[in-house]
Amino acid sequence: MRILTKIISGIAIVGLLCAPLLFYNDRISQIQTNNILLISSILWFLSAPFWMGVKSKE
Amino acid sequence: MERQQTSNEPVIEYEREPVPEHAQLGVKSFLGQYAGEHIAGTELMIGPLFVVHGVSAKDIILGLIVGNLLAVLSWTFMTAPIATRVRLTLYYQLEKICGRSLVTIYDITNGAMFTLLAGAMISVSTTVIGSCLNIPMPGLYDRYPNSIVWVVSILIVGALFSIIAAYGYKSLARFANIAAPWMILMFVAFAVIGLKLLGMNSIKDFWNIAENCIWKGGAPLPGQSKFTFWHIMFFAWFCNVAWHIGMADLSVLRYAKKPWYGIASAAGMYIGHFMAWLSAGILYAYQLKQDPSNINVLPGPLAERACGVAGLLCVIIAGWTTANPTLYRAGLAFQAIFPKSSRFKVTLIVGAVATVSGMFPGIVMKLLDFVALWGMILMPMGAVVFVDYYIIPKLGLRPYYAEYAKINFNLAPAIAWIVTVVVSSALVLSGQIEIFFVSLPGWFLTALLYIVGSYILQKKAKETVLVNV
């Protein structure tokens, strides 16, 4: 579970980083950029609480 | 460690004893804490206000680099060495130097400033409601609430913030830590998207756009003072003066294993007070490009234009997560004065006052001056701590004099503090010096007055003892 949530958080970070860069390079529109940012934000807040600041059992 | 997990939480352990070795933390904890704490909702006000003051691109970039460096050096060479040698909170050290009664006055002042800052954060977050519901919001020159809808919106947001700060401080502190990396990336997105919307197509265009579209220099907006390199440098250095030179971060850095951990403040300064301020300025420039007559500084609409709903989320979360510890700290400051009162009730009362202050846009629209005023009022006590630690023993005088003499009110720091604030205020009000520059000479004035005052008082006390013997 912890690994899965970490992967989702990683995807969210990639989305948050890449969407503005893709918009900057004219690959996507501003509406698409904003949608990716919103989805990535939701993914981050749904996944990060499961591993950030939670001590590993190992 | 608990503190590592909820790093925004005000320190409540080892209140009256040095931090033991086993509780000391590594540099990573401080990197995270400083990076998280200095990305606040108010950064979205400060960046545009620099543009309003007509600063040039060269001045803002150089000013922020130098000013933030000076802030980091102040944390590293002034606050951290005392923090890691003494390992006591600022309040306890002040109590030993000044006496309980004087610390109470400091507490009231500190609590009042935190309350007004929380009010500004409530205003910032309310601009999101304004943006969503298209309600009339205050303009740059408004000092009083300009519509009943704005007042009602502030009441709703303020009540929510206050109730959550009173009830669920710890869970929201954890939420703030989770939000911090996301907020940093959102501020990066603001900058990249904003620059593209301003017409930047390659990195080579940056300086041209910065000089001609964002920080154009020239005349400031009507009614605003002209900002130069010196204004930006001093503002960046002194906007957190209460924390570094003012020594409030003794309470945080007393947990550091080594004094050089003060350098971790660079994470907060160069992410929050460099990148975030520049990003917010870029968003404001885009607003002016779209409609030159729209000079209002409203973070909600600014963020929405670049990043849509995610931008609005960033404004509300940045305001919320920083208003929460601010309300909590203000509550703690006032609760220290009335120890028997419940923290829950005190936080709610503080929240109510912050909400009322948030209705008045005069504070948030003059945020740069308010932050400088805060530093000017609280910084002198940091000078007292510094002098008491380094200089007083070298002059053959006794440090921690209130504790030694068993007095509740040490006149020497009280006079140094009051005279510095009165002289500084008089200089600012008479127009002889701008508020952004007054804290530096103020530090030396306090130091001098405290040394002279301590010498006279301690000598007099010695003579009285000799006469009695």
Side-chain angles (χ1 to χ4, degrees), chain B residues 440-458:
Chain B
L440 185 61
W443 190 94
F444 289 101
L445 178 63
T446 312
L448 184 71
L449 288 170
Y450 179 55
I451 292 168
V452 174
S454 296
Y455 181 79
I456 294 169
L457 284 174
Q458 293 194 25

Side-chain angles (χ1 to χ4, degrees), chain B residues 135-139 142 144-154 359 361:
Chain B
I135 61 167
M137 285 189 280
D142 285 333
Y144 300 98
N146 62 345
S147 75
I148 190 75
V149 194
W150 170 256
V151 171
V152 173
S153 307
I154 287 267
M359 289 173 191

Side-chain angles (χ1 to χ4, degrees), chain B residues 46-64 210-211 213-221 225-233 278 281:
Chain B
I46 293 171
L49 288 174
F50 288 152
V51 180
V52 164
H53 283 273
V55 70
S56 73
K58 193 181 79 187
D59 286 348
I60 193 168
I61 289 175
L62 280 178
L64 289 182
E211 275 187 320
C213 296
I214 309 168
W215 304 285
K216 297 180 202 170
L221 289 181
S225 59
K226 167 75 179 164
F227 268 23
T228 61
F229 164 82
W230 297 106
H231 289 82
I232 300 293
M233 190 202 88
L278 295 183

Side-chain angles (χ1 to χ4, degrees), chain B residues 227-247:
Chain B
F227 268 23
T228 61
F229 164 82
W230 297 106
H231 289 82
I232 300 293
M233 190 202 88
F234 272 97
F235 184 81
W237 184 13
F238 283 153
C239 70
N240 284 138
V241 69
W243 279 259
H244 46 73
I245 295 176
M247 299 285 169

Side-chain angles (χ1 to χ4, degrees), chain A residues 12-17 19-26 30 33-42 44-55, chain B residues 1-2 4-5 174-175 177-182 185-186 188-189 192-197 200-203 205 286 304-310 313 317:
Chain A
I13 284 178
V14 170
L16 289 165
L17 273 173
L21 293 175
L22 290 170
F23 172 68
Y24 180 82
N25 288 309
D26 297 318
Q30 195 186 353
T33 310
N34 292 351
N35 288 339
I36 296 172
L37 286 175
L38 180 61
I39 292 164
S40 303
S41 303
I42 293 167
W44 173 260
F45 284 108
L46 288 180
S47 60
F50 290 97
W51 61 270
M52 258 189 101
V54 178
K55 279 182 185 171
Chain B
M1 293 254 351
E2 173 70 9
Q4 221 164 337
Q5 288 170 17
R174 183 160 180 257
F175 178 73
N177 287 344
I178 289 164
W182 169 79
L185 293 177
M186 283 303 298
V188 173
V192 175
I193 294 170
L195 285 169
K196 179 69 184 175
L197 292 171
M200 183 171 148
N201 288 310
S202 88
I203 201 82
D205 300 338
Y286 177 60
E304 190 190 16
R305 254 177 235 114
C307 294
V309 181
L313 264 180
I317 289 174

Side-chain angles (χ1 to χ4, degrees), chain B residues 47-229:
Chain B
L49 288 174
F50 288 152
V51 180
V52 164
H53 283 273
V55 70
S56 73
K58 193 181 79 187
D59 286 348
I60 193 168
I61 289 175
L62 280 178
L64 289 182
I65 289 173
V66 178
N68 284 320
L69 178 67
L70 288 168
V72 173
L73 294 176
S74 303
W75 260 297
T76 309
F77 294 110
M78 292 184 82
T79 324
I82 298 178
T84 51
R85 284 173 203 165
V86 182
R87 298 201 181 278
L88 296 174
T89 65
L90 170 68
Y91 298 103
Y92 192 43
Q93 282 203 64
L94 279 181
E95 199 178 313
K96 285 162 165 272
I97 298 167
C98 305
R100 183 79 197 126
S101 302
L102 190 51
V103 173
T104 304
I105 298 171
Y106 178 85
D107 265 343
I108 294 170
T109 317
N110 205 12
M113 296 314 242
F114 270 125
T115 307
L116 292 176
L117 184 68
M121 286 163 180
I122 291 168
S123 297
V124 167
S125 293
T126 307
T127 62
V128 172
I129 296 185
S131 188
C132 293
L133 303 180
N134 209 17
I135 61 167
M137 285 189 280
L140 183 63
Y141 298 108
D142 285 333
R143 297 289 170 262
Y144 300 98
N146 62 345
S147 75
I148 190 75
V149 194
W150 170 256
V151 171
V152 173
S153 307
I154 287 267
L155 274 176
I156 294 166
V157 174
L160 270 174
F161 281 18
S162 310
I163 291 166
I164 291 167
Y167 263 118
Y169 174 78
K170 280 196 171 180
S171 45
L172 196 60
R174 183 160 180 257
F175 178 73
N177 287 344
I178 289 164
W182 169 79
M183 274 196 284
I184 292 169
L185 293 177
M186 283 303 298
F187 272 91
V188 173
F190 286 150
V192 175
I193 294 170
L195 285 169
K196 179 69 184 175
L197 292 171
L198 283 168
M200 183 171 148
N201 288 310
S202 88
I203 201 82
K204 278 184 271 176
D205 300 338
F206 174 76
W207 196 248
N208 185 30
I209 285 183
E211 275 187 320
N212 298 310
C213 296
I214 309 168
W215 304 285
K216 297 180 202 170
L221 289 181
Q224 309 290 334
S225 59
K226 167 75 179 164
F227 268 23
T228 61
F229 164 82

